[in-house]
Amino acid sequence: APPRVRDRAWFFLARLQHQRGHLADAEASLARIEAPLLGALEDEHQLLRAQLRLAQGDAAGAAAVLEALADPKAPRQPAPAALMLARFNLAVALLRQGGGRADDEATQRGTALLEQLGATPTADEEQRAIRDRANVALGIAALQATKPRQARAPLQRVRLARAHTHNPHHGHARPATEQ
């Protein structure tokens, strides 16, 4: 098979392995990809690399992959939804890297990124879902830090009815901030 076809096959195999929890196998499959994939598949490739690093406890490695993907000076820019997801995952990686300590630079950068994402106007349902996740993460972080007043604004920005939500407990976040 031509190299581009093989690379795509390795990517799809890695994605399946990741979904099944076979992280080392997924990492090995990604390592066999020889050249950047075409278009949006390359975005997914880099996002998967970062997810694998996060799952393996390498927050700094994940952050490095995501910083490169979200770099506005990069020659090729990802699709808007992929960029927003990369920025969300970067915020998560930075928060993990900083250990959630308020005085840590990585934690501060991750929190600032979540705040930006939580207030970002969005064009479609996928981006709105990412914005909701950023606001939920901000709200939970504030509640864990026993700062319920700071949790109110981001949690109030979360839509109570999302197109793909089947969680019966989703709507319970807002009343908790009213107390």
Side-chain angles (χ1 to χ4, degrees):
R4 287 201 185 272
V5 173
R6 278 196 314 266
D7 287 347
R8 283 175 49 109
W10 284 119
F11 167 73
F12 287 116
L13 178 61
R15 189 164 68 180
L16 182 62
Q17 291 165 325
H18 174 253
Q19 290 169 349
R20 293 190 175 170
H22 304 291
L23 304 181
D25 292 338
E27 191 77 43
S29 293
L30 287 182
R32 299 196 64 173
I33 295 173
E34 296 174 359
L37 301 172
L38 295 178
L41 274 184
E42 182 58 24
D43 301 339
E44 290 183 46
H45 171 216
Q46 297 307 317
L47 287 167
L48 182 56
R49 283 183 56 220
Q51 287 174 337
L52 285 169
R53 294 218 166 106
L54 273 176
Q56 295 168 341
D58 181 11
V65 170
L66 293 163
E67 294 256 10
L69 185 59
D71 182 1
K73 296 175 187 162
R76 186 188 157 284
Q77 289 298 302
L83 178 60
M84 197 166 179
L85 184 57
R87 293 179 70 219
F88 175 80
N89 287 340
L90 175 58
V92 170
L94 289 168
L95 290 171
R96 287 187 186 174
Q97 187 178 345
R101 294 180 308 276
D103 62 341
D104 185 88
E105 182 182 339
T107 299
Q108 292 169 359
R109 284 184 57 218
T111 301
L113 197 48
L114 284 177
E115 288 170 353
Q116 288 173 357
L117 289 168
T120 299
T122 57
D124 61 30
E125 181 59 32
E126 186 177 8
Q127 291 177 8
R128 284 187 284 278
I130 296 167
R131 183 185 62 201
D132 285 344
R133 288 174 62 191
N135 282 315
V136 167
L138 281 170
I140 289 172
L143 291 172
Q144 288 174 337
T146 63
K147 297 178 180 179
R149 290 188 197 282
Q150 289 181 348
R152 175 177 273 182
L155 290 176
Q156 286 180 332
R157 288 190 299 255
V158 176
R159 297 168 300 144
L160 292 180
R162 291 189 351 212
H164 303 292
T165 298
H166 300 292
N167 182 352
H169 304 293
H170 182 266
H172 297 291
R174 194 170 285 191
T177 63
E178 303 291 335
Q179 300 172 359

